Amino acid sequence: MRIFDPHIHMTSRTTDDYRAMHAAGVRALVEPAFWLGQPRTSAASFRDYFDALLGWEPYRAAQYGIQHFCAIALNPKEANDPRCTPILDDLPRYLVKDRVVAVGEIGFDAMTDSEERAFTAQLALAREHGLPALVHTPHRDKAVGTSRALELVRADGIDPAMVAIDHLNEITAPLVAGTGCWMGFSIYPDTKMDPDRMVRILQEHGTARVLVNSAADWGHSDPLLTRSTAAAMLAAGFSEGDVEQVLWRNPVEFYGQSGRLVLEPAPDRPAEDAVFAGNSVRRGGR
Ligand SMILES: [Zn+2]
């Protein structure tokens, strides 16, 4: 089994995690830009962080046989701090880099006007750069935040196929289903979504345009929950093909829209991976 984790914050994880993820089948991942726990005090702090996501972290991941890509953005939480918002002016310089396969994570935290301004500006950057956008929905007032995010996506005019609405649950998934946007789900150890609840959502909504991630970050989280979800799918009667679609082909298709998702062939499946690498079609956007 091979797994692509479409949303995981490796900056906050250890080399033991990389080792365990590789053993569980993780071969590629996308690390979206987010906060550092401690609030940043300047735009320069973001530049160092983005450079680490493009340089140091892919190198670290490669030591453990995992390909690392990233999404770059001003995160919703820090969009509220005027010391941080000037980084928006620097984003175009990062959005042209080879390993940047999306704009993210953008969206809402506390649903303020400042967050909405940063969200709108960055949706436009995604559209102008022909990049997918990864949208964070708030943990409180999630349904309101999800609906507002969908309104802003429609208002921008970006192709909905280029947008993933993330951290969905049983209440918010039906709001996104049928909009053309991708549905993202973060699986957590003991709060929010778990593998069995994820399986029930897949039974209801099907396996198309669904992304499952571990989101592993500074809080209590588990980078192997993508693998646990695969096991729960198989136990519930999904086929190995279904698992491959949700945990590999879907994220490859979503981020492949950037035209930059160049996957190195795995030694055991060279032909199949080579097709993905060659066919990473650029679409939408421009
Ligand atoms: Zn995140």
Side-chain angles (χ1 to χ4, degrees):
M1 179 185 304
R2 59 183 174 162
I3 293 171
F4 188 129
D5 194 326
H7 182 155
I8 182 166
H9 299 290
M10 294 313 298
T11 297
S12 62
R13 311 305 300 191
T14 65
T15 50
D16 287 355
D17 290 323
Y18 272 123
R19 199 183 300 280
M21 287 163 64
H22 185 269
V26 178
R27 294 293 179 270
L29 59 83
V30 169
E31 175 158 8
F34 80 144
W35 61 312
L36 289 178
Q38 183 73 21
R40 293 184 176 87
T41 57
S42 73
S45 175
F46 282 89
R47 289 193 285 272
D48 291 338
Y49 171 64
F50 295 160
D51 289 343
L53 290 184
L54 285 160
W56 174 242
E57 207 57 50
Y59 171 76
R60 209 162 74 98
Q63 310 303 303
Y64 300 91
I66 296 176
Q67 291 185 77
H68 182 289
F69 303 90
C70 69
I72 293 287
L74 168 61
N75 63 81
K77 192 187 277 275
E78 289 179 307
N80 292 302
D81 190 334
R83 295 174 300 179
C84 296
T85 48
I87 192 63
L88 287 170
D89 297 332
D90 281 5
L91 292 182
R93 179 158 77 79
Y94 286 96
L95 296 182
V96 298
K97 306 249 183 208
D98 276 349
R99 303 191 79 86
V100 177
V101 295
V103 174
E105 42 196 304
I106 57 177
F108 288 120
D109 180 50
M111 293 200 58
T112 63
D113 290 345
S114 304
E115 289 171 26
E116 187 157 316
R117 272 195 299 277
F119 184 5
T120 304
Q122 294 181 99
L123 265 182
L125 281 177
R127 176 171 39 76
E128 288 159 12
H129 286 79
L131 288 173
L134 185 62
V135 178
H136 174 97
T137 53
H139 299 297
R140 280 161 295 156
D141 294 328
K142 193 177 268 297
V144 176
T146 303
S147 297
R148 185 66 187 141
L150 290 167
E151 284 171 17
L152 294 178
V153 167
R154 274 191 291 272
D156 178 82
I158 187 173
D159 180 355
M162 297 291 278
V163 178
I165 310 287
D166 212 345
H167 313 309
L168 296 177
N169 60 23
E170 290 85 350
I171 309 289
T172 51
L175 302 174
V176 179
T179 63
C181 294
W182 289 71
M183 297 192 289
F185 298 89
S186 301
I187 315 299
Y188 293 95
D190 50 19
T191 57
K192 308 165 196 161
M193 190 57 55
D194 66 29
D196 292 329
R197 285 169 62 189
M198 188 64 232
V199 165
R200 287 193 289 275
I201 285 176
L202 288 164
Q203 285 166 335
E204 187 167 335
H205 291 280
T207 52
R209 289 212 177 172
V210 170
L211 302 170
V212 173
N213 63 70
S214 69
D217 53 34
W218 305 107
H220 183 204
S221 47
D222 179 348
L224 305 184
L225 283 175
T226 46
R227 177 57 187 246
S228 305
T229 300
M233 284 180 71
L234 292 172
F238 282 98
S239 69
E240 294 200 357
D242 295 330
V243 170
E244 166 99 355
Q245 181 186 358
V246 171
L247 290 164
W248 185 268
R249 291 203 311 271
N250 282 354
V252 167
E253 183 182 340
F254 178 66
Y255 290 116
Q257 297 179 103
S258 68
R260 297 189 190 142
L261 192 72
V262 180
L263 291 164
E264 289 155 19
D268 50 334
R269 345 177 40 146
E272 198 174 345
D273 277 356
V275 169
F276 279 129
N279 283 1
S280 49
V281 184
R282 195 174 187 93
R283 51 167 297 180
R286 302 165 195 264

